[in-house]
Amino acid sequence: MKTKRIAWLLGSALTLIYALQAEDWPQWRGPERTGVAIGQTPPEEWPNELTEIWKVKVGEGHSSPVVVSGRVYQFARVDNDEVIYCLDAKTGKEVWQVRYEAPYEVNPAAQAHGKGPKATPTVVNNRVYTQGINGTLSCVRASDGQLFWRKTFSDDFKETAPLYGVASSPLVTQGLCIVQAGGPDHGAIIAYHAGTGEEKWRRETDGPSYASSIYAEMTGERQIITQTQNWLIGLRFSSGDVLWKHPFKTDYDQNIVTPVVHEERLIYSGFNHPLSAARIDLNAQGFHFREEWTNRAHPLYMSSPVIRGNLLFGMSHRLSGHLFCVDITTGNTQWQTRGRFGDNAAMVLLGDMLLIQSTEGKLTVARATGAKYEMLHEYTVSEQATWATPALDGTQIYIKDRTQLMAYRLSPK
């Protein structure tokens, strides 16, 4: 009986551990960089108004919050410093902070977006990885903020950031930390040992984009897929070798959208470029990029899409911002809204619900269905601009506006 009880207790502990892990939001766009709240469910009843649990002034920037094991990690700017915060998720109380000097001159075309930072932290194995507006890459201990290693790239590149500052979030997977580095017309995608910071491989590129890289297994090959300044590109995960590349250049070199993968199908878009799907085929000559469909009605500028089943939901920059749904197998439009939704929308899929945060400080709840656009609720979450993607941990949603980080309860008390 004692042995059975120990086994039961161990099983219960493992179940609890996995449940907690399932509710983590450890990086840009959640557990798998898809905007999907994996392992979380929407509340049975939505409140008339969201209850604010806490609010903390953390500083400027568009970097999104992340949540791991009951702690919230936020990257922001205070005066001339970039600051990594660790806060208690229940109370907002500061656990620790790390700051370093990070002077930055904003490109005149990006004055409204401030001095950053824009890239979102990644938290893996008790380590927090951040990349600042100038390109500074840091790895600190999640429990207390102790610095493990840091890279500045000033000896590698004439310029260490693209025109409007670094926005690509570090990708940490299978022991590697992968980042875009460098500046206009001269950059690299670099993989470091996640623990030691030792460089494992480097692939020179035309220059970094503002899009975050993803990891995917396509055509039997482990790949890093991203946009660079002028290309959509796939690299072999183990070595950084170029497997395939497809020309992709937007006006003002603003490749921003994080690609998504659905059943060996790659979905991508950009400013004034159609929403598109492609297959990566393999033949005797190597990997081949084959376009499958395009939909010119819904180009994506800054907003990355989410997928539920065979449906893809997003916000186009057309019509001053319109929401849409397409059939991911054909590219056919299922529905679209009239427009004027805003400059950008950070979209999260929570079960069968879409949470759509606009830059105007509104959080919209809508059904994730292809039948029609059905809005259920709209909440005001800030009087300031809200560019950062929200994070969820099962019971609360964390929202970063221009200078503050807030926690709201998702369901009635």
Side-chain angles (χ1 to χ4, degrees):
M1 289 294 293
K2 186 176 180 180
T3 302
K4 288 183 178 180
R5 178 170 174 77
I6 292 173
W8 179 85
L9 287 171
L10 287 173
S12 298
L14 287 172
T15 300
L16 177 59
I17 290 170
Y18 287 129
L20 290 172
Q21 289 176 341
E23 293 178 353
D24 285 346
W25 192 272
Q27 61 177 331
W28 165 245
R29 303 191 75 218
E32 296 183 354
R33 296 202 158 198
T34 57
V36 179
I38 297 170
Q40 301 187 39
T41 57
E44 294 182 3
E45 178 186 355
W46 290 92
N48 293 326
E49 294 182 2
L50 294 182
T51 300
E52 183 182 286
I53 306 300
W54 51 260
K55 179 190 293 183
V56 177
K57 187 173 182 179
V58 292
E60 297 191 352
H62 298 340
S63 179
S64 302
V66 297
V67 190
V68 175
S69 299
R71 290 184 171 185
V72 184
Y73 299 88
Q74 180 67 57
F75 195 27
R77 172 176 289 274
V78 177
D79 299 324
N80 220 30
D81 295 344
E82 287 181 333
V83 186
I84 309 169
Y85 292 95
C86 174
L87 308 174
D88 183 275
K90 290 183 178 180
T91 65
K93 183 179 179 180
E94 183 177 306
V95 179
W96 55 258
Q97 67 165 261
V98 171
R99 63 170 62 202
Y100 58 88
E101 200 171 357
Y104 181 71
E105 292 296 325
V106 182
N107 185 293
Q111 286 290 338
H113 291 272
K115 295 184 177 183
K118 300 177 180 178
T120 295
T122 301
V123 181
V124 177
N125 293 334
N126 197 30
R127 284 173 165 79
V128 184
Y129 302 84
T130 61
Q131 191 167 18
I133 195 78
N134 280 314
T136 299
L137 176 65
S138 302
C139 173
V140 304
R141 189 156 59 194
S143 56
D144 59 10
Q146 178 182 315
L147 178 66
F148 285 122
W149 51 266
R150 177 168 286 156
K151 313 287 181 180
T152 62
F153 305 110
S154 56
D155 294 333
D156 300 80
F157 304 98
K158 181 180 178 181
E159 297 178 79
T160 60
L163 285 175
Y164 311 118
V166 169
S168 179
S169 302
L171 171 64
V172 183
T173 184
Q174 300 181 52
L176 294 182
C177 173
I178 298 162
V179 297
Q180 292 202 47
D185 304 319
H186 181 210
I189 300 172
I190 308 175
Y192 296 99
H193 185 284
T196 65
E198 176 191 1
E199 185 174 315
K200 306 304 289 186
W201 54 255
R202 173 184 298 224
R203 178 56 50 196
E204 299 287 327
T205 67
D206 49 318
S209 71
Y210 307 95
S212 294
S213 305
I214 63 170
Y215 168 88
E217 295 189 25
M218 300 183 71
T219 323
E221 183 75 45
R222 295 188 300 162
Q223 304 183 31
I224 300 300
I225 300 174
T226 195
Q227 296 178 3
T228 65
Q229 183 177 325
N230 299 304
W231 297 88
L232 183 64
I233 189 169
L235 305 180
R236 179 171 282 119
F237 175 78
S238 59
S239 65
D241 294 336
V242 177
L243 299 173
W244 55 267
K245 59 193 302 190
H246 178 69
F248 195 80
K249 181 176 175 61
T250 54
D251 296 341
Y252 314 109
D253 294 331
Q254 294 187 90
N255 284 352
I256 296 174
V257 177
T258 299
V260 291
V261 172
H262 176 265
E263 297 179 353
E264 301 269 327
R265 182 184 288 110
L266 177 66
I267 312 297
Y268 63 98
S269 187
F271 184 58
N272 286 335
H273 279 255
L275 180 69
S276 302
R279 297 280 186 174
I280 310 301
D281 297 329
L282 180 62
N283 54 33
Q285 285 72 46
F287 289 88
H288 175 65
F289 184 93
R290 175 173 59 87
E291 193 172 83
E292 188 175 49
W293 56 255
T294 61
N295 187 320
R296 297 186 177 278
H298 313 302
L300 304 176
Y301 179 21
M302 291 179 280
S303 179
S304 299
V306 297
I307 296 171
R308 182 180 182 231
N310 288 330
L311 299 175
L312 181 139
F313 302 90
M315 193 198 86
S316 171
H317 60 84
R318 292 264 177 92
L319 304 175
S320 298
H322 74 264
L323 305 174
F324 67 85
C325 172
V326 302
D327 184 320
I328 206 167
T329 60
T330 64
N332 293 335
T333 300
Q334 302 298 107
W335 53 257
Q336 75 172 65
T337 61
R338 293 182 178 180
R340 297 194 177 278
F341 192 81
D343 292 330
N344 184 46
M347 194 170 290
V348 172
L349 180 68
L350 176 61
D352 59 353
M353 299 289 172
L354 292 171
L355 305 186
I356 311 162
Q357 179 189 281
S358 74
T359 50
E360 284 70 33
K362 303 292 185 182
L363 182 69
T364 299
V365 180
R367 294 195 189 279
T369 173
K372 62 179 180 179
Y373 175 64
E374 185 180 353
M375 185 185 80
L376 300 177
H377 299 278
E378 183 179 81
Y379 304 108
T380 297
V381 292
S382 178
E383 300 301 324
Q384 300 183 26
T386 47
W387 287 88
T389 296
L392 293 84
D393 69 357
T395 60
Q396 296 182 173
I397 184 168
Y398 305 87
I399 292 173
K400 168 69 167 65
D401 64 18
R402 188 176 66 84
T403 61
Q404 304 167 122
L405 177 64
M406 297 155 285
Y408 288 95
R409 185 181 296 116
L410 278 178
S411 58
K413 189 171 181 180

